Structure formats: C-alpha cells, structure tokens
C-alpha cells in the first residue's frame, strides 16, 4: 500500500498545530507565549549566544528574534551584554529562569496529553522517524 505523502504532511502539520495551540494556552497561565518560552529555552541551552545563533535555534529571522529579545528584556526575563564587536550575548535573568521552569511543568502535562494516544512502543518509533526527517536541519 502506498502512503499518501500529502496526507502525511498534513497530519504532521495538524499535530504541530495542536501542540502549539495547547502549549500557548497552557503558557498563558504564566504570562508567556510559546515563542517567548522557546526563546527562553534556547537561551538556557546556549547561554551567551548571539541573537543570530538564537534566531537559528528558534526558527526565526534575525530581525524577528531581535524584536522578541527586546520584549523579553523589557519584561526582565533576559539580559543582553556586549560581546565581541557588535555581538550581543543573551542570558536568562532569575525571572526568566523561573518562567522557563514553570513552563516546563505546564508543558509536561500538555505533552503527556498530546502523546497519550501512542503507546510506549510507538513513541520512540515516532521520535526516530522525525529525527531521520530532520537530520540535516
């Protein structure tokens, strides 16, 4: 039987959309969006990273990440400091770290619900398939 690749692509997109909607809804409780929380997560993983590196890590343009970072600085969630040349380095503040941890707890519930229809054998198989698809990204 041949797999309908269009249907497969649409199914991936629907799962991603469902995940994003549920995550955004949950994160409202702590006053951040999924895009903001993802930026906090990237900064936590890559402290001192440049805006460009963080833009790449969060699937944004440099300009979009710069705008987002300005908002996060204004809210006291991240700090920027001068690096070499014109480079700005990004770090989490205590408030940013607290928001990141609160988001992790909230999103744990969201992800458990999202993946609940899959049994323990299906979850690693899905992860492996998605890793193969995104290997060069």
């Amino acid at each position: 039987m041949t797999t309908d690749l269009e249907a497969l692509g649409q199914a991936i997109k629907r799962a991603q959309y469902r995940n994003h909607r549920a995550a955004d809804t949950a994160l409202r409780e702590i006053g951040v969006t999924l895009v903001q929380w993802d930026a906090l997560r990237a900064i936590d993983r890559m402290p001192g990273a440049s805006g460009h590196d963080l833009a790449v890590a969060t699937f944004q343009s440099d300009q979009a990440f710069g705008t987002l970072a300005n908002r996060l600085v204004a809210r006291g969630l991240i700090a920027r400091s001068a690096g070499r040349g014109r480079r700005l380095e990004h770090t989490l503040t205590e408030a940013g770290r607290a928001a990141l941890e609160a988001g992790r707890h909230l999103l744990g519930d969201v992800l458990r619900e999202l993946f609940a229809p899959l049994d323990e054998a299906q979850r690693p198989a899905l992860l492996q398939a998605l890793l193969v698809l995104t290997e060069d990204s």
Side-chain angles (χ1 to χ4, degrees):
M1 173 161 108
T2 303
T3 302
D4 181 343
L5 296 180
E6 230 177 85
L8 178 59
Q10 282 296 101
I12 290 171
K13 185 69 176 175
R14 277 193 310 275
Q16 177 188 27
Y17 178 72
R18 181 177 169 219
N19 175 52
H20 283 202
R21 258 191 13 217
D24 257 336
T25 299
L27 289 167
R28 272 190 218 134
E29 184 178 315
I30 59 169
V32 298
T33 66
L34 178 58
V35 171
Q36 292 169 336
W37 186 81
D38 191 42
L40 296 175
R41 185 173 55 174
I43 293 167
D44 184 54
R45 281 193 318 261
M46 302 168 15
S50 70
H52 172 74
D53 291 340
L54 293 165
V56 170
T58 58
F59 307 102
Q60 297 183 53
S61 68
D62 289 358
Q63 183 178 0
F65 188 84
T67 300
L68 172 62
N70 286 336
R71 288 186 187 130
L72 294 173
V73 167
R75 292 193 51 205
L77 298 174
I78 69 169
R80 286 176 157 167
S81 59
R84 284 203 268 195
R86 296 182 349 185
R87 176 186 167 115
L88 291 176
E89 296 179 346
H90 299 74
T91 55
L92 292 180
T93 62
E94 286 304 314
R97 189 163 307 288
L100 178 65
E101 289 308 312
R104 282 190 170 126
H105 291 293
L106 291 170
L107 293 184
D109 293 338
V110 168
L111 293 172
R112 276 188 289 283
E113 184 176 326
L114 177 68
F115 294 112
L118 300 177
D119 64 32
E120 286 301 320
Q122 292 171 314
R123 290 176 188 182
L126 175 59
L127 176 59
Q128 185 58 41
L130 291 172
L131 289 173
V132 167
L133 288 175
T134 59
E135 202 168 72
D136 293 338
S137 301

